Amino acid sequence: MTATPRQVGSTDGVSVAVYESGDADGPTVLAVHGYPDNHAVWDGVVELLAGRFHVVTYDVRGAGRSDKPAAVSAYRMDRLVDDLTAVIDAVSPNEPVHLLGHDWGSIQSWPAMTHEPLAGRIASFTSISGPSLDHSGAWLRRAREHPRASLRQLRHSYYIALFQLPGLPEWLARTGVLDRGIRRARSAAAAGAEPPRSVADTVNGISLYRANMIGAVGRPRPVPTHIPVQVIVAEQDPYATPDLVTGAPEPWVANLTVHRISGGHWVVSERPDVIARLVCEFVDSLPPTGPQPERGRRAGGPFAGRL
């Protein structure tokens, strides 16, 4: 979006750029982008939701106008969850939010749902092309139950091993090779739907893979959740296969809704109308949420919106 962001500080001093649109008195939808995007990947969805919701996006650390720490350790999952918590504190201190995540934005939202400081602060979660790393690790350990699906997912995840190599993925990003690969992964109907991103977004985000993938998937610690979850399955996604994104959360999510739609990995920018409609329908299916006890460390009053 073109709006000037507000800066929100995380626990380790990293400043996160936050963008707000829509009805300030409506329920809050907080959308978290993935790799190698920035908040602009949500622009089409934001435009469609803004008439009804208080819509919030932000640049994940390393992307857009947020700070870009150099250390790989600064991109660990606990740091990402701290950023998400700080944003929720800032934009909706007194009412729970409806989370919406794509790719790494979804991956980092899964542990936020069982993060103790966020208990009661998340009303629902819509996940697109970003399964929980812990759920995924547990699913892969059950490979004997679905050997073909597991092999198919591993074949589509070759780039994760590539991103662990020193120097090579950064070179591929700076020379445009990764960007050309991303374009090939978009659906044939996505011409003109590519969101703006920078080389820095692509390079910095490689640290997400180095800081988190091996440990979480190799030693999964899945935690059950009762928060309502909607999984939107992009059936032509070459990275997160339908078997993984539907099968991995099933044992751990008590209230799970699944929708399969036609689209590639970047369906959020390819088909924003479908994503916005499914978010609205999912929110409408939930019971109303009430105000939470006021959080003292962030300024702001309660929102009056109801579902």
Side-chain angles (χ1 to χ4, degrees), residues 100-112:
L100 171 59
H102 173 247
D103 188 80
W104 266 96
S106 176
I107 290 172
Q108 66 190 270
S109 295
W110 282 103

Side-chain angles (χ1 to χ4, degrees), residues 54-66:
H54 172 221
V55 189
V56 180
T57 59
Y58 69 96
D59 291 324
V60 171
R61 59 173 59 203
R65 298 189 186 180
S66 291

Side-chain angles (χ1 to χ4, degrees), residues 259-272:
H259 289 284
R260 292 174 176 262
I261 63 174
S262 178
H265 185 75
W266 276 273
V267 70
V268 297
S269 57
E270 296 168 9
R271 307 190 68 191

Side-chain angles (χ1 to χ4, degrees), residues 231-246:
V231 171
I232 299 177
V233 184
E235 293 191 319
Q236 288 78 47
D237 189 335
Y239 301 126
T241 62
D243 289 317
L244 173 66
V245 297
T246 59

Side-chain angles (χ1 to χ4, degrees), residues 11-26:
T11 53
D12 63 348
V14 167
S15 181
V16 175
V18 179
Y19 303 78
E20 297 180 75
S21 303
D23 181 3
D25 291 327

